[in-house]
Amino acid sequence: MAGSGRAAEFGILFKGGEHLEQTHRIDAIILDKTGTVTKGKPELTDVLTERNEAEFLRLVGAAEKNSEHPLAEAIVEGVKAKHIELPGTDSFEAIPGFGIRAVVEGSDMLIGTRRLMDKFNVDATEAYASMSKLEESGKTAMLVAINHEYAGMVAVADTIKDSSAAAVSRLKEMGLQVIMITGDNERTARAIADQVGIDHVRAEVLPEGKAEEVKKLQAEGKKVAMVGDGINDAPALATADIGMAIGTGTDVAMEAADVTLMRGDLSSIPDAIFMSRKTMRNIKQNLFWALGYNTLGIPIAALGFLAPWVAGAAMALSSVSVVLNALRLQRVKVRG
Ligand SMILES: [Mg+2]
């Protein structure tokens, strides 16, 4: 109670005492990528242009404002975050699978893939090298042509949570094997894993395959924790020895998990393990002292050397010492 109460103050909710007791046993941890290691929402990350950047972004943002695509939303939000006011558009057309075409203040804007540029006979070959570089680092790059001339490119990507890298290195320090799992392709997965220091990656895993990966590790004799946020993580969260759900994720994931990490960042994982270790050590100390009093007291009392009131006091003292020791858990500090 003292341990899980203290953990709750740090936003780590154990569903029951047995989960708090089991958490310190885990030796392998599987992290879902999207929404767990990363924020799960694309953001504007790169702007490459030889024109005036603010003016370029103003036109790009205005053109994308009409699109409902999540990547377009990311661009518009990124432009607005730079306090750039977006003008209206004269016309807009979404070209599914290619990109968009819009007219903004008389400029004919094309934003999209290499194929979109080819389709409109725009020569953007000069941009291909830097575009591939962005793609290799797991980003989605879009080419921009203004009045049928290549003008620059923007890239969006699902970015990593600020706390992820530090949390991963703490988990490794604790001696855990850290594995990242995702449905994404190998290249994107590797790029993210490298940035946070994860060596083991399972990419292109189908949603139903996540629980299989947990079972595989368990078959090697490992105690496995799974950390996820999505509905598709639920079977794996339930299969793992300890399932941890990110509090900013779906209700289904939290329902299936044994622990909910309310803060939504990964530093709660080493904190949870730390709290579990502290609590188990405390429980062992309590057992030692409770038994110690009795193994000392009973023989002495049996031989008639202990007055009944002293025996009674010793009995009460053993309970008091156990409770006092347990209450020390309320002062435990985590690194957060
Ligand atoms: Mg996810």
Side-chain angles (χ1 to χ4, degrees):
M1 263 174 64
S4 55
R6 185 58 174 162
E9 287 175 29
F10 298 116
I12 302 161
L13 306 183
F14 288 91
K15 268 198 195 150
E18 70 270 32
H19 306 306
L20 180 60
E21 288 179 27
Q22 290 306 317
T23 298
H24 78 286
R25 290 185 199 279
I26 56 180
D27 39 31
I29 188 152
I30 303 180
L31 305 172
D32 159 60
K33 179 179 85 69
T34 309
T36 301
V37 175
T38 68
K39 291 178 185 162
K41 206 170 152 269
E43 283 179 11
L44 179 64
T45 53
D46 298 83
V47 181
L48 300 179
T49 182
E50 275 166 20
R51 303 187 176 214
N52 175 302
E53 189 180 297
E55 181 54 27
F56 174 74
L57 282 177
R58 202 171 77 92
L59 294 175
V60 170
E64 291 285 6
K65 203 172 55 177
N66 301 280
S67 169
E68 277 156 12
H69 199 284
L71 296 182
E73 279 173 32
I75 294 173
V76 175
E77 255 179 56
V79 173
K80 281 187 179 161
K82 292 180 197 281
H83 305 289
I84 296 171
E85 291 270 345
L86 300 181
T89 33
D90 304 326
S91 77
F92 174 81
E93 185 193 349
I95 309 165
F98 290 86
I100 60 154
R101 183 179 191 184
V103 177
V104 184
E105 294 179 335
S107 296
D108 189 349
M109 307 284 301
L110 290 165
I111 307 172
T113 61
R114 296 174 180 87
R115 287 192 301 163
L116 178 76
M117 297 296 135
D118 291 342
K119 197 175 154 87
F120 288 90
N121 294 319
V122 177
D123 180 18
T125 42
E126 57 173 301
Y128 285 4
S130 33
M131 188 177 192
S132 300
K133 206 179 263 175
L134 288 170
E135 285 168 342
E136 268 158 36
S137 60
K139 293 170 180 172
T140 308
M142 283 160 276
L143 299 163
V144 181
I146 301 177
N147 295 327
H148 293 262
E149 258 185 53
Y150 171 72
M153 92 181 83
V154 287
V156 300
D158 183 10
T159 51
I160 290 162
K161 291 178 188 170
D162 300 331
S163 58
S164 293
V168 167
S169 84
R170 270 177 75 194
L171 288 169
K172 284 178 165 175
E173 261 170 45
M174 287 173 143
L176 276 84
Q177 184 185 359
V178 184
I179 300 140
M180 192 183 79
I181 199 166
T182 178
D184 283 3
N185 65 63
E186 184 84 36
R187 201 167 63 168
T188 311
R190 265 273 147 234
I192 297 285
D194 287 347
Q195 284 178 64
V196 292
I198 296 176
D199 311 311
H200 308 277
V201 177
R202 307 267 192 286
E204 284 161 68
V205 177
L206 297 171
E208 57 272 24
K210 289 186 174 178
E212 285 306 313
E213 292 292 333
V214 172
K215 281 187 203 151
K216 264 190 232 165
L217 282 168
Q218 285 172 330
E220 291 170 21
K222 296 210 161 83
K223 288 270 178 217
V224 183
M226 166 78 201
V227 190
D229 68 312
I231 294 171
N232 62 10
D233 297 321
L237 289 169
T239 307
D241 296 285
I242 289 290
M244 296 186 181
I246 299 289
T248 48
T250 60
D251 291 346
V252 180
M254 282 181 255
E255 194 61 47
D258 308 306
V259 187
T260 299
L261 311 173
M262 295 307 294
R263 278 192 318 220
D265 71 55
L266 298 193
S267 56
S268 293
I269 305 168
D271 287 348
I273 298 169
F274 175 76
M275 273 314 296
S276 175
R277 285 181 182 174
K278 277 273 182 199
T279 306
M280 289 314 289
R281 189 184 306 158
N282 197 285
I283 288 173
K284 283 176 191 152
Q285 287 164 353
N286 286 344
L287 283 172
F288 175 80
W289 286 112
L291 283 172
Y293 273 112
N294 288 315
T295 40
L296 266 172
I298 291 170
I300 299 172
L303 293 170
F305 293 125
L306 209 60
W309 72 269
V310 180
M315 199 65 223
L317 263 177
S318 88
S319 300
V320 169
S321 66
V322 162
V323 171
L324 285 179
N325 190 42
L327 288 178
R328 286 194 314 128
L329 285 171
Q330 290 185 334
R331 287 202 304 260
V332 168
K333 285 193 176 62
V334 298
R335 262 203 265 168

